[in-house]
Amino acid sequence: MPEFCFFKKGKHIAALEISDAEKSAQLTGEGWEKQFEEVRAADAESALTRLADMRKEEVTTEHAFVTGSVFSSLLTAILK
């Protein structure tokens, strides 16, 4: 399975095989920002789906921490 990297411009995200240096340079020249995530996937569509899942997991984890008992305990300890 090929590895994909992601480029973002505004609200648009493009998946590109890491081995495609020419297209990567072109996107960067057009103002696209390379994202730090990289995934292995069968195709670009699957790579974009995996990226969306990864970002959703990050938001869920952050939300769970902020609303969870760990945060409450830390806040209580800080305010004492």
Side-chain angles (χ1 to χ4, degrees), residues 5-77:
C5 59
F6 302 95
F7 288 84
K8 181 177 181 181
K9 186 173 184 180
K11 293 186 178 188
H12 301 282
I13 297 178
L16 182 66
E17 284 191 40
I18 291 174
S19 61
D20 194 348
E22 184 178 317
K23 184 69 174 173
S24 177
Q26 179 185 356
L27 289 176
T28 302
E30 293 174 2
W32 290 74
E33 291 181 37
K34 186 171 190 241
Q35 305 297 293
F36 69 91
E37 296 96 338
E38 294 179 355
V39 299
R40 286 182 178 260
D43 55 32
E45 186 176 333
S46 298
L48 288 168
T49 301
R50 178 64 186 130
L51 177 66
D53 290 344
M54 288 170 30
R55 290 192 172 174
K56 183 179 176 183
E57 288 172 13
E58 286 178 13
V59 170
T60 302
T61 301
E62 290 171 10
H63 183 264
F65 179 76
V66 170
T67 61
S69 62
V70 172
F71 181 76
S72 298
S73 298
L74 289 172
L75 186 59
T76 301

